[in-house]
Amino acid sequence: MARTVWGSTVGKKAVMAVSGLVMLLYLVVHMFGNLKIFFGPGTFDGYAHWLRTLGEPFLHYEWALWIIRVGLVAAVVAHGVCAYQLSRRDLRSRPVGYVRPRARSSYATRTMRWGGVILALFIVWHILDLTTGTVQRGFVPGHPYHNVVAAFHDWWNNVFYIAAVLALGLHVRHGFWSAAQTLGAGSPTRDRVLKGTANVLALVLTAGFVAVPVGVMTGLVS
Ligand code: HEM
């Protein structure tokens, strides 16, 4: 059964849709969590601490966070591997190629591929920047408020984050729509609602994530 799903084009698209929706759920929660920064260091750092003590005393310190991390890594890997294999299949099925290479894939497909690559690179940078602090001078473990303010003091980091978040908005807009079609939710009557939902989701996520670097740049968060 698992082999059939993994081996077929439809199966890979279904894996992409489900893993994409898992990541989307994480992003909505992460975005709302980030907005707590506007309530001050006590609230924001307290929220980060709560994330680590979630499920205690049944779970030990950081166990819930690690369970979430394992689920997320599984979703990212499944999504990336299927995307790569589907695009290889797409290219292999047209061995002769087109006269105009750009006509080979649609605008949306190319945007999704490049958007996916940018987001993968962003996630690696973002974890080294704000989770491990490897690339950030002055990183203080356990003080995410201070670390976020420090991270957005460098203008180029703001540019990179904002560009990545815009790429995320476009990716979610098209990805949510594609996932709905793959999972069979599309129909002539529902398509307008699905498109509207995709637009609202993309807009809310983009605005919510961009608000933090903009908040630091304007001095609202300091
Ligand atoms: C632009 C605004 C963003 C801000 C201010 C922000 C802030 C943060 C902070 C402070 C952490 C560390 C949390 C902690 O250690 O308690 C974190 C972790 C993380 N963020 Fe973001 N984030 C942003 C956007 C994003 C985006 C767009 C993505 C995904 C595409 C993302 C994915 C992650 C992931 C995967 C982690 C690691 C979670 C973990 O394992 O602890 N973030 N973020």
Side-chain angles (χ1 to χ4, degrees):
M1 166 72 181
R3 226 183 220 186
T4 324
V5 171
W6 192 254
S8 69
T9 297
V10 181
K12 285 186 202 298
K13 283 191 176 172
V15 170
M16 286 202 71
V18 174
S19 53
L21 291 174
V22 168
M23 290 188 282
L24 184 60
L25 179 68
Y26 170 79
L27 283 173
V28 171
V29 175
H30 187 32
M31 187 274 288
F32 280 116
N34 281 350
L35 293 179
K36 287 183 180 289
I37 206 159
F38 291 99
F39 293 91
T43 307
F44 194 64
D45 291 355
Y47 169 65
H49 179 70
W50 172 80
L51 272 177
R52 282 155 176 85
T53 52
L54 196 67
E56 277 185 0
F58 182 68
L59 298 175
H60 290 249
Y61 185 73
E62 282 201 348
W63 276 22
L65 191 59
W66 276 104
I67 293 169
I68 297 170
R69 284 171 176 164
V70 170
L72 267 181
V73 169
V76 170
V77 170
H79 203 76
V81 169
C82 285
Y84 177 75
Q85 292 179 339
L86 283 171
S87 77
R88 296 287 310 163
R89 221 172 241 198
D90 195 26
L91 295 177
R92 262 204 314 272
S93 63
R94 292 157 179 170
V96 180
Y98 284 86
V99 178
R100 283 187 307 129
R102 289 179 75 79
R104 193 187 288 152
S105 48
S106 70
Y107 173 74
T109 307
R110 271 182 282 126
T111 320
M112 290 307 275
R113 278 179 199 163
W114 282 109
V117 172
I118 292 170
L119 287 171
L121 293 175
F122 166 76
I123 291 168
V124 173
W125 174 260
H126 180 48
I127 289 175
L128 295 176
D129 189 24
L130 285 173
T131 301
T132 64
T134 318
V135 295
Q136 201 197 115
R137 289 164 281 127
F139 180 88
V140 185
H143 292 272
Y145 185 95
H146 163 89
N147 296 332
V148 169
V149 173
F152 294 132
H153 261 140
D154 294 321
W155 66 267
W156 49 266
N157 211 24
N158 287 307
V159 172
F160 183 40
Y161 268 78
I162 291 172
V165 167
L166 292 179
L168 175 74
L170 289 176
H171 203 82
V172 164
R173 184 167 171 250
H174 184 77
F176 180 82
W177 164 253
S178 299
Q181 303 303 314
T182 301
L183 299 177
S187 81
T189 46
R190 271 190 301 242
D191 277 2
R192 265 191 56 195
V193 177
L194 286 172
K195 272 201 173 133
T197 312
N199 285 340
V200 170
L201 262 173
L203 210 70
V204 169
L205 276 177
T206 309
F209 276 126
V210 162
V212 181
V214 169
V216 177
M217 275 192 286
T218 53
L220 206 60
V221 176
S222 60

